Amino acid sequence: MENEKSTSHNREDRTNPPTKSKFFPISAIILIISILIYRYVTFGPFAPLQCQLLGIGCFNTTVQGYVAPEFINAKEAFKKNFDNGDDIGASVAAYYNGKLVLDLQGGYADLETMREYDKNTLQPVFSSTKVLSSIVIAYLVDKGILNYNEKITKYWPEFAQGNKENVTLLDLVNHRAGLSYIDARNITIVDLEDLDKFAEILAAQPHSFGGVPKRAYHAITRGWYLNEIVRRVDSKHRTIGKIASEEILNQYDLEFYLSLPPNLISRVAKFYETSFIKEGINMFNTMIDWWTGKLPSSFFLEYKNKESVFYKTAQNMIGPFPHKFTDASKLEFVTIEWPSTNGITNAKSMAKLGAIIVNNGQPIKEDSSSSSFRSKSLLSKSTIELISTKLPVTFDYVLYGNFTPALGGFAYLRFPGIEDVEFMGWGGYGGSIFIWNQELGISFGYAMNGLWTPKYNEIGDRRGQSILKEIVNAVKKLKEEQT
């Protein structure tokens, strides 16, 4: 009997294996999949897929350039961007009290040819271009050629059409001109090549708010309208780009092209976008911001409302601009002047121009040994103070958030982890930044070819912000030691 029972139990053991052995493989698979998903979601968007999931086949990225010993943590933050897959190719630069303390490049300008991103690389920076065009306007104000409080019709009588007769230059530089889009017809590159005819199209556009000054981000149009005003007041009828090139950039040894000479196209970095899934994650982050109240409750409703300025701007502001942002570095787009969006430069040139502003418009010391050194100031101290005047916080009907404008067409900005420091300047689509802080003596430029938009209406992202944070911390430490 005992043998029979033993045999029976053995038979049951064989037919009913332990629960652990049945479910263990499934648990292991679930764990592995969870780890892979976590790695994919948290890893940077620009690393190869096998690198994101398994940590193999990652880019072998080198970082080159100069860093002052006190700012070594900023270099580590820059390098970390590549290690984490947050960047493909980028440059970053900073000045402190007129002295270059950071000038780094890393990664690749072209993944197909594995061309390195180095000190000769040029980068389109999208709306960071607006900082340069605003400085050119300030330059003409400083000379008495323009006045921020003057109505645009004084310079351009035909502009008065469509309830625009009371719009001032101040309104236009601060996106309050009611001209965030052009709805007459589709603008083409051919239109931009004939500026006289293009001026007729611009003048005919009616005011979006019936003449009432409300801020609605003029992503592309601001540059078009400013360019026409400048052409009319300049004795040689030059564009913003021409004046910048002939009277500012060459004298201060800066590279910032609003119309790139075709022979320089080989130096321009190619753009790269994130995957469809990563963009979905970014959209999810935007929805979380909306759900938690960081974006107004009407955000998505306005986006679908065909009568809203938000919708019309989103649909019509692009014009001849490439609908694929990765095409924005191609020859046909970089050789046409778009003073709001197609500046081609590098981080050092942005940071250096910011350093001149920080230095009350005076050239910085490193230029004194240059053959092109110009002792004359870029802007007077009074004009620097004027353009830095802080205007009331205002809601932007396109960016759908509150901004603190500076009179000269910039904005006051705060960044995560260093909220106690307020910078002036602006940023561009995909993550570029062009800013400065006069109190701390910091100017900062960051340019990259990996286009990333983690959150709607955010200026910059964790890549540039992480480096900036280390720079601010280093400066604070230096000031404490001096004290």
Side-chain angles (χ1 to χ4, degrees):
M1 288 289 290
E2 290 180 2
N3 289 337
E4 288 179 4
K5 288 180 180 179
S6 177
T7 304
S8 175
H9 281 303
N10 290 337
R11 207 179 289 123
E12 288 177 3
D13 289 343
R14 288 193 297 270
T15 56
N16 298 298
T19 304
K20 181 178 179 181
S21 63
K22 180 179 180 180
F23 290 102
F24 177 74
I26 297 176
S27 301
I29 291 171
I30 291 174
L31 177 62
I32 292 171
I33 292 174
S34 299
I35 293 173
L36 293 176
I37 292 174
Y38 175 80
R39 282 185 59 87
Y40 181 77
V41 171
T42 57
F43 211 83
F46 298 111
L49 183 61
Q50 67 271 24
C51 178
Q52 296 182 46
L53 297 179
L54 303 173
I56 60 175
C58 303
F59 293 132
N60 184 21
T61 302
T62 58
V63 170
Q64 54 190 292
Y66 167 77
V67 58
E70 300 88 347
F71 294 84
I72 193 65
N73 288 343
K75 179 180 179 179
E76 293 303 315
F78 182 60
K79 187 177 184 301
K80 187 177 179 181
N81 286 341
F82 296 102
D83 295 340
N84 291 345
D86 282 344
D87 258 329
I88 294 177
S91 65
V92 63
Y95 283 77
Y96 171 51
N97 287 343
K99 181 181 178 182
L100 182 68
V101 296
L102 188 73
D103 181 20
L104 299 174
Q105 309 84 36
Y108 297 97
D110 187 339
L111 288 176
E112 292 180 5
T113 62
M114 300 305 285
R115 171 165 57 100
E116 287 191 346
Y117 203 112
D118 57 27
K119 65 180 182 180
N120 293 314
T121 302
L122 293 172
Q123 183 67 64
V125 292
F126 294 111
S127 285
S128 290
T129 307
K130 290 181 176 64
V131 179
L132 175 61
S133 59
S134 293
I135 289 173
V136 173
I137 297 300
Y139 178 75
L140 296 176
V141 169
D142 195 62
K143 287 178 170 291
I145 297 172
L146 288 173
N147 186 316
Y148 287 113
N149 294 319
E150 198 66 67
K151 293 179 182 179
I152 292 175
T153 52
K154 176 182 177 179
Y155 313 117
W156 183 4
E158 296 86 352
F159 179 83
Q161 302 174 60
N163 295 314
K164 302 195 302 297
E165 64 274 8
N166 292 318
V167 175
T168 64
L169 180 62
L170 180 63
D171 291 328
L172 180 57
V173 296
N174 282 290
H175 309 274
R176 303 186 321 212
L179 296 165
S180 58
Y181 62 92
I182 304 294
D183 62 5
R185 61 185 179 87
N186 290 328
I187 306 299
T188 67
I189 288 182
V190 175
D191 293 315
L192 301 184
E193 292 172 344
D194 188 340
L195 294 180
D196 291 333
K197 288 186 178 180
F198 188 46
E200 297 176 5
I201 297 173
L202 296 177
Q205 176 67 24
H207 197 291
S208 299
F209 299 101
V212 179
K214 293 183 180 181
R215 183 180 172 104
Y217 189 52
H218 295 22
I220 293 177
T221 53
R222 192 188 85 145
W224 290 343
Y225 281 95
L226 287 176
N227 218 23
E228 182 57 28
I229 294 169
V230 168
R231 287 178 66 232
R232 287 168 178 264
V233 300
D234 180 62
S235 59
K236 301 177 183 177
H237 307 294
R238 294 171 296 175
T239 62
I240 290 174
K242 277 286 187 182
I243 293 175
S245 176
E246 295 174 7
E247 299 191 21
I248 299 175
L249 303 175
N250 290 339
Q251 286 82 345
Y252 298 106
D253 194 23
L254 303 167
E255 279 200 291
F256 206 140
Y257 304 97
L258 296 188
S259 176
L260 185 76
N263 63 306
L264 298 182
I265 189 64
S266 62
R267 295 174 56 193
V268 177
K270 289 188 176 181
F271 276 123
Y272 297 91
E273 291 183 310
T274 58
S275 68
F276 176 77
I277 296 175
K278 292 285 188 178
E279 283 300 317
I281 294 172
N282 293 343
M283 179 56 71
F284 180 72
N285 290 334
T286 299
M287 293 182 69
I288 290 177
D289 285 347
W290 171 72
W291 182 260
T292 57
K294 293 180 181 179
L295 285 173
S297 57
S298 60
F299 176 78
F300 285 107
L301 293 176
E302 288 295 289
Y303 186 76
K304 294 295 183 181
N305 179 7
K306 294 184 179 181
E307 298 304 314
S308 72
V309 170
F310 186 17
Y311 177 89
K312 290 180 179 179
T313 302
Q315 297 299 315
N316 299 321
M317 74 174 179
I318 299 298
F321 200 77
H323 288 263
K324 286 182 64 179
F325 283 100
T326 50
D327 290 339
S329 58
K330 292 184 176 180
L331 182 64
E332 60 266 35
F333 295 111
V334 296
T335 53
I336 297 291
E337 185 170 333
W338 311 40
S340 269
T341 50
N342 81 330
I344 302 98
T345 184
N346 52 48
K348 184 180 179 181
S349 292
M350 291 191 289
K352 187 176 181 180
L353 187 52
I356 295 172
I357 302 296
V358 170
N359 198 35
N360 287 318
Q362 303 300 315
I364 55 180
K365 293 180 180 179
E366 72 174 25
D367 285 331
S368 59
S369 60
S370 171
S371 59
S372 61
F373 175 68
R374 177 182 181 181
S375 59
K376 187 178 179 181
S377 63
L378 169 63
L379 299 171
S380 66
K381 185 178 180 181
S382 61
T383 297
I384 296 288
E385 291 173 351
L386 176 65
I387 65 176
S388 303
T389 303
K390 187 179 290 188
L391 301 180
V393 176
T394 184
F395 181 79
D396 191 299
Y397 285 85
V398 171
L399 296 179
Y400 244 69
N402 291 319
F403 289 86
T404 303
L407 186 145
F410 317 101
Y412 281 93
L413 306 165
R414 296 181 187 270
F415 299 97
I418 45 173
E419 290 89 352
D420 59 320
V421 180
E422 198 169 42
F423 287 88
M424 193 165 79
W426 196 243
Y429 174 80
S432 66
I433 310 176
F434 183 176
I435 55 175
W436 58 88
N437 175 282
Q438 203 157 13
E439 182 181 358
L440 291 180
I442 296 172
S443 61
F444 180 78
Y446 170 75
M448 73 298 126
N449 63 352
L451 300 177
W452 195 25
T453 53
K455 293 185 178 182
Y456 186 78
N457 77 23
E458 183 179 36
I459 305 301
D461 54 57
R462 71 188 186 197
R463 297 171 294 179
Q465 292 169 5
S466 65
I467 307 166
L468 179 64
K469 181 180 177 181
E470 296 299 338
I471 291 169
V472 170
N473 290 339
V475 168
K476 286 181 177 179
K477 185 177 179 180
L478 286 171
K479 288 186 175 295
E480 287 176 3
E481 291 173 353
Q482 291 169 2
T483 304

